[in-house]
Amino acid sequence: MTIHVPPASVHPSAPAPVRAGDERFEPLDAVIKRHQGKPDSLIEILNSAQVRFGFLGGELLDFVARRMRLPSSYVFGVATFYHMFSLAPKGRHTCDVCMGTTCSVKGARRLLEGLERAMGIRAGETTADGRISLQLVRCPGTCGMAPVVYYDGVAISYETTASAVKRVKGWLDDGSERAP
């Protein structure tokens, strides 16, 4: 069976994280070869790519699609389906607000709006100086501690708008390490 591999440049909005001669491609290529390019290993390969490059830009997704002989649209669809994959570079720090049912009932929406005002960005964006990325996350299963916010991957429970803004204040003011 032959799978048609479309040409590159499927994702024009995503910045290109790679350049010709980029040494990070070699270990990624080894991962693809280890899995023999099997489509059911795509998530693991995308995860490996994100660890090496920091995010999954258009050029990188095209590389994976070509090497695995999969349609770019399929690879892009998988990369955008799972919230763990990022298609844009993240800031130096990340602030992830859980929007699961319990966190939402316990005020996550108000908390998020307060963080958006304080940072001057919306969820899914990174501050202009590249310091902080504000993101939404699906329920990680910590409902007993709702609302939960993750600061650089560290979960803080029972957050309020005031406490969340206070935690990112150092990152916003001078980039100091005050959160969490």
Side-chain angles (χ1 to χ4, degrees):
M1 181 173 133
T2 303
I3 297 176
H4 171 69
V5 179
S9 73
V10 172
H11 325 287
S13 63
V18 293
R19 303 285 182 268
D22 190 322
E23 296 175 356
R24 296 174 292 180
F25 276 107
E26 193 172 315
L28 178 60
D29 201 36
V31 171
I32 294 170
K33 285 178 182 172
R34 187 175 68 235
H35 289 284
Q36 300 173 343
K38 294 180 180 172
D40 61 354
S41 62
L42 179 58
I43 292 173
E44 185 172 340
I45 290 168
L46 290 175
N47 190 49
S48 179
Q50 183 163 282
V51 167
R52 285 177 172 73
F53 291 86
F55 68 102
L56 302 174
E59 185 180 349
L60 182 56
L61 291 175
D62 284 340
F63 172 80
V64 170
R66 281 191 307 269
R67 297 296 295 155
M68 294 184 72
R69 300 187 184 277
L70 294 171
S72 292
S73 59
Y74 179 77
V75 174
F76 182 76
V78 170
T80 56
F81 179 80
Y82 292 99
H83 72 279
M84 64 194 175
F85 295 127
S86 176
L87 302 182
K90 290 184 179 178
R92 199 172 99 215
H93 299 286
T94 57
C95 181
D96 303 334
V97 179
C98 176
M99 295 304 290
T101 302
T102 304
C103 285
S104 293
V105 168
K106 298 272 187 164
R109 175 62 55 195
R110 283 189 309 276
L111 193 154
L112 175 64
E113 291 168 355
L115 284 169
E116 287 177 333
R117 277 192 303 277
M119 294 183 192
I121 59 173
R122 305 212 27 132
E125 296 178 346
T126 299
T127 55
D129 60 8
R131 286 185 182 166
I132 307 173
S133 292
L134 179 61
Q135 304 169 110
L136 304 178
V137 293
R138 295 190 178 114
C139 182
T142 54
C143 301
M145 306 185 320
V148 175
V149 178
Y150 292 82
Y151 302 93
D152 286 341
V154 177
I156 301 296
S157 56
Y158 310 112
E159 280 289 77
T160 64
T161 301
S163 63
V165 170
K166 184 177 178 182
R167 289 184 197 285
V168 298
K169 187 107 173 96
W171 291 346
L172 290 170
D173 291 345
D174 57 11
S176 64
E177 304 292 329
R178 292 186 198 151

